[in-house]
């Protein structure tokens, strides 16, 4: 007997890539389990499946920075209790972090792919299901998006949940309507502008010389890098990232404020036309702003 749950949850995370840098990502998770029926004539209660598996996914992967530990460009080191530095070494576009260990997800792989994350999740889940569940199939997939989209990473220090982590992200579509008509060419401009971008808040900026990073960050300067630091309920978060892969926002980077930011930027190129922005945060959720 098989039991399936489609769209069980969405993983919103970022990962490190030696080619693309820090990549915001959103994956939809489908699950199929096989085994014998229990005393209730069920393989597993649906509500229990969703709660148990979603809890484990949230605990180990969601809203974390996924780090491919076997990549030769990656360096990691434990610092004070519960903290670690992570460095991605890639020429003049290195990425350096110092954060609580719970903000990272380390996987035994050379690259972060749907396949390598699926394998990691399978190992996490297979030992945490009832004995009568004999088989487990996981499918990670992207949302089908009809139009332009971008990958962005950010951190929300004022959030009381895992969004406070300085390096998590989303794969998000954007829709722009001018006088009620959708303008895909404007949407594509934003998809290009925010392709694999880090969106940093201005008030979190600090000189990279003041950050507590690893020895691999000693040569970086404010000429080529932005530094960010903030303290949130989960601890202190620090990041240095190349200016060429960052956009600075005057406000926090909630999706509500990002929708307003896009609206204000686009409105400058329009005359008296009305503008509506529909900005998504991952899959099926977001905010709308008008100008």
């Amino acid at each position: 007997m098989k039991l399936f749950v489609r769209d069980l949850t969405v993983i919103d995370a970022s990962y490190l890539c030696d080619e693309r840098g820090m990549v915001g990502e959103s994956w939809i998770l489908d699950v199929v389990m096989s085994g014998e029926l229990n005393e209730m004539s069920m393989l597993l209660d649906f509500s229990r499946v969703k709660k148990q598996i979603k809890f484990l996914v949230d605990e180990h992967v969601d809203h974390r920075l996924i780090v491919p530990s076997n990549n030769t460009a990656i360096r990691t080191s434990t610092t004070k209790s519960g903290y670690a530095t992570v460095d991605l070494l890639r020429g003049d576009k290195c990425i350096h972090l110092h954060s609580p260990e719970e903000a990272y997800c380390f996987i035994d792989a050379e690259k972060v792919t749907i396949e390598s994350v699926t394998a990691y999740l399978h190992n996490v889940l297979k030992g945490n299901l009832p004995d009568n569940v004999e088989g487990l199939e996981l499918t990670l997939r992207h949302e089908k998006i009809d139009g332009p989209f971008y990958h962005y990473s950010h951190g929300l220090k004022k959030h009381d949940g895992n969004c406070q982590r300085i390096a998590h992200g989303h794969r998000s579509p954007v829709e722009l309507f001018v006088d009620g008509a959708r303008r895909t060419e404007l949407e594509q401009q934003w998809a290009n502008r925010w392709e694999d971008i880090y969106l940093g808040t201005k008030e979190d900026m600090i000189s990279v010389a003041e950050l507590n990073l690893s020895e691999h960050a000693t040569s970086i300067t404010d000429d080529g890098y932005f530094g960010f630091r903030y303290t949130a309920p989960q601890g202190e978060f620090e990041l240095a990232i190349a200016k060429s892969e960052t956009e600075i926002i005057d406000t926090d980077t909630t999706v509500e404020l990002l929708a307003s930011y896009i609206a204000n930027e686009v409105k400058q190129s329009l005359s008296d036309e009305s503008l509506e922005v529909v900005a998504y945060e991952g899959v099926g959720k977001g905010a709308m702003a008008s100008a």
Side-chain angles (χ1 to χ4, degrees):
M1 179 63 66
K2 290 188 175 183
L3 179 75
F4 66 89
V5 183
R6 293 179 183 144
D7 304 324
L8 188 146
T9 191
V10 174
I11 297 171
D12 288 307
S14 291
Y15 67 88
L16 293 181
C17 174
D18 53 10
E19 297 175 357
R20 297 172 61 185
M22 185 184 295
V23 183
E25 191 59 274
S26 298
W27 292 301
I28 301 168
L29 176 63
D30 302 325
V31 177
V32 178
M33 289 165 289
S34 59
E36 300 298 324
L37 300 184
N38 60 21
E39 65 277 3
M40 296 182 292
S41 300
M42 295 179 176
L43 182 61
L44 194 61
D45 182 81
F46 274 112
S47 62
R48 185 178 174 187
V49 170
K50 295 190 73 171
K51 289 179 181 178
Q52 189 169 356
I53 294 181
K54 187 179 186 313
F55 171 80
L56 290 167
V57 172
D58 290 350
E59 185 74 11
H60 289 271
V61 183
D62 191 53
H63 282 76
R64 292 184 179 232
L65 178 66
I66 306 174
V67 180
S69 299
N70 296 344
N71 191 297
T72 57
I74 295 290
R75 304 288 188 274
T76 63
S77 179
T78 300
T79 58
K80 59 186 178 181
S81 178
Y83 282 75
T85 57
V86 170
D87 302 277
L88 173 61
L89 307 181
R90 48 194 290 265
D92 59 355
K93 295 182 180 180
C94 296
I95 298 174
H96 308 280
L97 299 107
H98 186 208
S99 298
E101 291 177 339
E102 64 184 346
Y104 306 116
C105 170
F106 297 99
I107 66 172
D108 292 328
E110 293 184 5
K111 291 187 177 293
V112 174
T113 63
I114 282 181
E115 292 75 20
S116 62
V117 176
T118 300
Y120 174 81
L121 278 174
H122 195 278
N123 288 332
V124 168
L125 296 175
K126 68 179 182 181
N128 291 281
L129 296 173
D131 294 338
N132 64 307
V133 176
E134 299 170 356
L136 176 66
E137 301 171 33
L138 303 176
T139 300
L140 283 180
R141 56 184 171 86
H142 286 128
E143 174 192 24
K144 185 177 180 181
I145 297 175
D146 181 21
F149 60 90
Y150 41 67
H151 299 257
Y152 74 91
S153 302
H154 66 152
L156 300 173
K157 65 177 179 295
K158 298 172 186 174
H159 196 272
D160 58 3
N162 293 336
C163 291
Q164 67 190 260
R165 294 167 179 169
I166 201 167
H168 75 278
H170 314 273
R171 174 181 181 264
S172 301
V174 61
E175 299 169 3
L176 299 175
F177 298 86
V178 178
D179 283 345
R182 188 166 175 185
R183 295 282 294 273
T184 55
E185 77 279 8
L186 292 177
E187 296 169 3
Q188 189 61 54
Q189 289 176 18
W190 281 90
N192 295 339
R193 177 169 170 172
W194 281 1
E195 181 182 6
D196 300 340
I197 198 75
Y198 185 82
L199 300 178
T201 297
K202 186 175 182 179
E203 71 177 17
D204 300 330
M205 294 174 63
I206 189 172
S207 171
V208 295
E210 298 180 62
L211 296 173
N212 299 305
L213 301 174
S214 78
E215 61 183 7
H216 301 289
T218 55
S219 63
I220 67 172
T221 69
D222 292 333
D223 290 337
Y225 287 81
F226 287 124
F228 300 95
R229 175 196 285 160
Y230 60 73
T231 299
Q234 291 183 3
E236 189 171 84
F237 295 86
E238 297 179 289
L239 166 68
I241 187 167
K243 289 183 175 181
S244 61
E245 299 181 330
T246 308
E247 184 159 336
I248 302 299
I249 311 294
D250 286 339
T251 64
D252 293 327
T253 56
T254 63
V255 69
E256 296 92 338
L257 293 177
L258 292 180
S260 294
Y261 178 78
I262 294 173
N264 291 332
E265 290 282 303
V266 174
K267 186 63 176 176
Q268 297 177 31
S269 65
L270 305 178
S271 53
D272 295 329
E273 300 102 319
S274 66
L275 171 66
E276 183 176 23
V277 175
V278 183
Y280 288 80
E281 185 183 69
V283 178
K285 64 185 190 299
M288 296 179 287
S290 300

